[in-house]
Amino acid sequence: MTGSPDIRIEYRGVAKQFAGNSLKDGGEEIIQAVKDVDLKVADGEVVSLIGPSGCGKSTLLNMGSGLYLPSDGEVYVDQEKVDAPNPHVGFMLQKDLLLAWRTIQKNVEFGLEIQGIPTHERHERSMDLLEKCRLTGFENHYPHQLSGGMRQRAALARTLAVDPKVLLLDEPFSALDAQTKMILQQDLAETLSAEKKTALFITHDLVESVALSDRVFVMSARPGTIIEEIDVSLPDRANPMARRQDSQKQIGEYVAQLMGLLHVGETATEIQI
């Protein structure tokens, strides 16, 4: 046992360095992306990670999925050290990355095929998720036939299809217009609640971070480290639209607090509200 059984993902003293440009003396520049990161996300929690551009947010998600290994420290998913790509982690990015030559249903089933799940089980699981993501009737369409918001719904269904224990979400709605973004936020929140999923969510939208989350972690400029943890004490996290409507004053206070934390050095100009 390496930690509390209700902790789904944990970063312990994590740091990551990358090699940069070659130096005149023949050495290499070392870029410190993140340092001394301690972060825990409990079972069923949705936690947002915010901070200035380049502070290492995506680097943390990559280490959580096993795509990168830490230079120092350790990452655990369900008390197991992450030292390779982890099948218990689902990753959703800014781009949907749907396969153009596969139907929407076949895209959703892609990970299940890799796992060797029988055809009838793949079909049942994909159709159930397409219904939950409001894509019933579009299962035989191809990605180019769907709007950007519908493609992101399909990407979410594909991510959930393999039943990950932890979802890592890297600004999945940043490329969408405001109205579509709010609809997708609602869809995501309802789905995470219904599926009882744990999620670590990167966003530059401070209102989004409050509306969708149980807690918000604030990172410093590079080398990124956690400078504040804020509990979001608002009702009905599964319904962010209701949160926005019923808790406008409180959300405004949280956003003001986050803006104050991000007005450190030159970071404030890099945050998009």
Side-chain angles (χ1 to χ4, degrees), residues 50 206 252 254-264 267-268 271 273:
I50 68 170
L206 303 186
Y254 280 116
V255 169
Q257 183 181 4
L258 294 172
M259 289 179 67
L261 290 165
L262 293 167
H263 278 70
V264 178
T267 64
I271 300 300
I273 307 302

Side-chain angles (χ1 to χ4, degrees), residues 10-74:
E10 180 176 4
Y11 296 77
R12 299 183 187 173
V14 167
K16 182 63 179 178
Q17 298 174 343
F18 294 98
N21 296 325
S22 298
L23 302 175
K24 291 181 179 179
D25 63 5
E28 283 187 324
E29 176 189 17
I30 300 299
I31 298 173
Q32 184 81 39
V34 296
K35 68 174 184 178
D36 302 329
V37 173
D38 293 296
L39 190 159
K40 297 179 182 180
V41 184
D43 183 41
E45 267 196 309
V46 177
V47 171
S48 284
L49 193 61
I50 68 170
S53 297
C55 72
K57 300 183 296 294
S58 294
T59 298
L60 288 177
L61 262 59
N62 282 322
M63 288 189 285
S65 69
L67 296 177
Y68 297 162
L69 295 180
S71 303
D72 292 294
E74 298 169 325

